[in-house]
Amino acid sequence: MMIKAAAALSLLSLASAFIVPAHLPAVAPAVAQPRSVLQSTSDGQNLRPDVAEQLELYAAEAQKRIDSMVKENKVMLFMKGNKMFPQCGFSNTAVQVLRASDVKFETFDVLSDPDIRQGIKEYSQWPTIPQLYVGGEFVGGSDILIELFQNGELKTTLESGGAEFVA
Amino acid sequence: MQAAIEAKLTSALAPTHLEVTCSDGNKWAVTVISEAFQGKPLLARHRLVNTALAEELEDIHALSLKTKTPAEWEKS
């Protein structure tokens, strides 16, 4: 009986570590907060500061990885799925447009990495996937690719971005 | 959602023509004809629309955009 009560008590205190007290003021008080006090992240989640810090590190690391992919590959497509098996109609459209342009391109499957999936939207300040980068510059999503392909500007963009074409 | 999208775009871009359609549950197609797009490249036009719909985009699965000026719309 004692053991059960103790277990319940420790469960209770564990659970309470993940709940923000309702009386917490919206504005941080001037006094230093103890480490157990929870803070709100930008997307409204309440996380323990050390966990939030860890998440920020992952996010920063994702930005670095995106930046090197974009800079190391002249034509870089972030998509859902891969060239052989696109997992979304819009990503498929982007692949088809690039294939029709006879250009060599690399892809990254954002479904394989949640940090990149979220991070790429912040990197370009663009809310959707697919996203095409040419010569390190963000070009656009699938609607833009289609329109640039149809009016001939995509070829110019690819050429000036240093893209390699399929012989 | 449709009303919200239309209201946001109307106040943000004063379109002369606006079409908002939804298919497949949550896939949206939007055509905006506005003088605001004059002299702006495609990417900038889409960014304007994305900015106007930032709140809605969090719940939208897919958004397909056509952005033209009234003069371009006449020709097409």
Side-chain angles (χ1 to χ4, degrees):
Chain A
M1 193 63 199
M2 280 298 283
I3 295 166
K4 264 189 183 173
L9 199 68
S10 72
L11 263 180
L12 198 69
S13 60
L14 247 183
S16 68
F18 294 95
I19 299 165
V20 178
H23 64 267
L24 261 189
V27 181
V31 290
Q33 294 188 357
R35 200 144 173 86
S36 64
V37 172
L38 307 173
Q39 292 174 343
S40 290
T41 56
S42 56
D43 51 358
Q45 287 176 292
N46 292 310
L47 300 170
R48 228 171 59 195
D50 53 346
V51 174
E53 209 170 288
Q54 183 90 44
L55 282 178
E56 274 171 35
L57 275 177
Y58 287 142
E61 194 244 355
Q63 292 298 311
K64 276 189 205 156
R65 282 162 60 206
I66 291 167
D67 196 54
S68 53
M69 278 191 266
V70 161
K71 289 186 172 144
E72 283 164 20
N73 300 289
K74 295 291 184 192
V75 185
M76 182 74 215
L77 180 69
F78 292 85
M79 61 180 289
K80 292 181 180 171
N82 57 45
K83 283 185 204 181
M84 295 303 291
F85 299 103
Q87 299 288 315
C88 155
F90 295 95
S91 287
N92 183 46
T93 299
V95 168
Q96 298 313 322
V97 166
L98 291 173
R99 282 196 199 284
S101 303
D102 291 329
V103 72
K104 291 182 183 171
F105 63 101
E106 288 298 321
T107 63
F108 184 88
D109 180 4
V110 299
L111 298 178
S112 72
D113 191 324
D115 285 339
I116 301 288
R117 184 178 183 172
Q118 180 56 35
I120 194 70
K121 297 177 183 179
E122 287 154 20
Y123 186 82
S124 56
Q125 291 296 303
W126 188 263
T128 50
I129 287 153
Q131 295 188 8
L132 180 73
Y133 295 78
V134 174
E137 297 283 327
F138 177 55
V139 175
S142 64
D143 286 340
I144 289 184
L145 289 195
I146 291 176
E147 212 163 320
L148 293 180
F149 179 69
Q150 286 170 345
N151 69 20
E153 283 178 45
L154 185 60
K155 194 164 185 287
T156 323
T157 306
L158 289 168
E159 283 169 355
S160 62
E164 280 180 59
F165 292 87
V166 181
Chain B
M1 179 62 96
Q2 172 134 10
I5 293 174
E6 286 172 355
K8 290 275 173 73
L9 290 175
T10 301
S11 71
L13 295 162
T16 56
H17 180 78
L18 179 64
E19 274 175 44
V20 179
T21 55
C22 180
S23 64
D24 247 3
N26 200 13
K27 290 185 178 173
W28 296 83
V30 171
T31 301
V32 191
I33 312 303
S34 167
E35 288 289 358
F37 298 141
Q38 184 61 46
K40 300 234 175 356
L42 207 46
L43 185 61
R45 295 176 183 196
H46 283 223
R47 280 201 194 280
L48 285 173
V49 174
N50 288 340
T51 304
L53 298 180
E55 212 176 303
E56 286 69 26
L57 275 169
E58 293 188 10
D59 302 316
I60 284 178
H61 173 69
L63 176 64
S64 183
L65 288 181
K66 274 207 181 95
T67 51
K68 292 186 185 301
T69 63
E72 291 165 350
W73 183 241
E74 288 279 310
K75 277 190 262 168
S76 67

